[in-house]
Amino acid sequence: MQSDIERVLFDAPAIHKRLNEMATQISADYADRELTVIAILTGTLMFMSDLLRRIPLPLKLDCLSVASYHGKTQTSGEVIFKQPGVPDVGGRDVLILDDILDTGHTLAAVRKKLETAKPRSIRVCVLLSKRKQRAREVDADYFGFEIDDDFIVGYGLDFMERYRNLPYIGVLRKELLEQPNQ
Ligand code: IMP
Ligand code: MG
């Protein structure tokens, strides 16, 4: 697995240091409110569990399972919700957690779906935000790191469902992206 990584962008100590800062900010912003966190599976698993354990506030947690990639590195633009219905977030202060903001299709679709339940507020928190022109207008209220438009894996992020268990975030070697059906 290690040899598939072109370079490490953020090692475990760098991630954890940044999570401390993000958690402090979120805890201060929501100090007098009850947060409802909606995490988008599967890529947020590590991020969600490490971030939320640093937020000492009462909160509710729900997860949404969403697919848009179909195993490729280019998004199809079509966002598929793997469960019917909308989480019950009416009147609540919602914080959507996602691993990475790329084209914006996923977060725009999730946000739109949650808005139909009439929450009191919605904010978006991502670990990574790619510096690029997005297909959909969506901004993160909180983000861990801004990165170039490379394909990255690790700490929850996958390529063809692999590499999620790497403890760091790294750029995948380009030639691996080009191999069909591994
Ligand atoms: P978007 O809908 O294009 O913003 O993409 C969001 C989803 O695509 C993320 O939640 C990831 O699952 C996936 N994704 C986008 N860029 C990367 C990447 O560089 N590595 C791994 N997954 C990515
Ligand atoms: Mg993915």
Side-chain angles (χ1 to χ4, degrees):
M1 246 188 350
Q2 315 272 346
S3 59
D4 293 353
I5 304 302
E6 185 183 292
R7 66 181 189 282
V8 174
L9 291 182
F10 308 105
D11 62 10
I15 295 169
H16 293 138
K17 178 168 176 282
R18 186 67 188 118
L19 293 187
N20 287 338
E21 294 166 356
M22 294 173 81
T24 301
Q25 177 75 55
I26 293 166
S27 304
D29 291 354
Y30 288 91
D32 51 359
R33 293 189 267 168
E34 197 192 9
L35 198 51
T36 298
V37 174
I38 305 286
I40 304 174
L41 298 177
T42 305
T44 51
L45 274 179
M46 279 63 173
F47 173 46
M48 170 184 78
S49 109
D50 285 344
L51 180 74
L52 296 189
R53 279 181 291 174
R54 290 169 160 82
I55 298 181
L57 297 176
L59 61 78
K60 291 186 177 175
L61 172 62
D62 209 342
C63 297
L64 276 182
S65 201
V66 165
S68 63
Y69 260 44
H70 314 296
K72 289 166 280 189
T73 60
Q74 292 297 310
T75 179
S76 62
E78 183 197 6
V79 178
I80 298 155
F81 288 86
K82 295 194 190 162
Q83 62 274 92
V86 184
D88 181 17
V89 294
R92 306 198 58 88
D93 290 302
V94 172
L95 185 64
I96 305 172
L97 286 193
D98 203 1
D99 50 0
I100 186 164
L101 179 54
D102 182 19
T103 63
H105 282 297
T106 306
L107 278 166
V110 169
R111 201 184 171 119
K112 192 166 155 219
K113 191 176 182 96
L114 293 176
E115 271 163 3
T116 65
K118 302 257 180 296
R120 189 161 88 138
S121 68
I122 300 190
R123 284 187 187 166
V124 169
C125 173
V126 293
L127 179 61
L128 298 148
S129 175
K130 285 192 187 173
R131 253 182 245 112
K132 67 191 285 185
Q133 183 78 37
R134 300 195 203 295
R136 299 292 300 269
E137 183 83 30
V138 42
D139 268 326
D141 300 281
Y142 305 95
F143 65 86
F145 304 102
E146 252 193 329
I147 57 166
D148 289 335
D149 193 12
D150 291 315
F151 198 84
I152 54 134
V153 292
Y155 193 65
L157 288 125
D158 73 302
F159 175 59
M160 311 275 282
E161 297 302 328
R162 294 192 192 141
Y163 309 104
R164 292 195 196 275
N165 54 325
L166 286 174
Y168 53 82
I169 296 165
V171 177
L172 192 65
R173 278 176 34 220
K174 304 274 179 301
E175 60 268 35
L176 294 171
L177 295 171
E178 280 142 27
Q179 285 171 25
N181 303 323
Q182 296 180 70

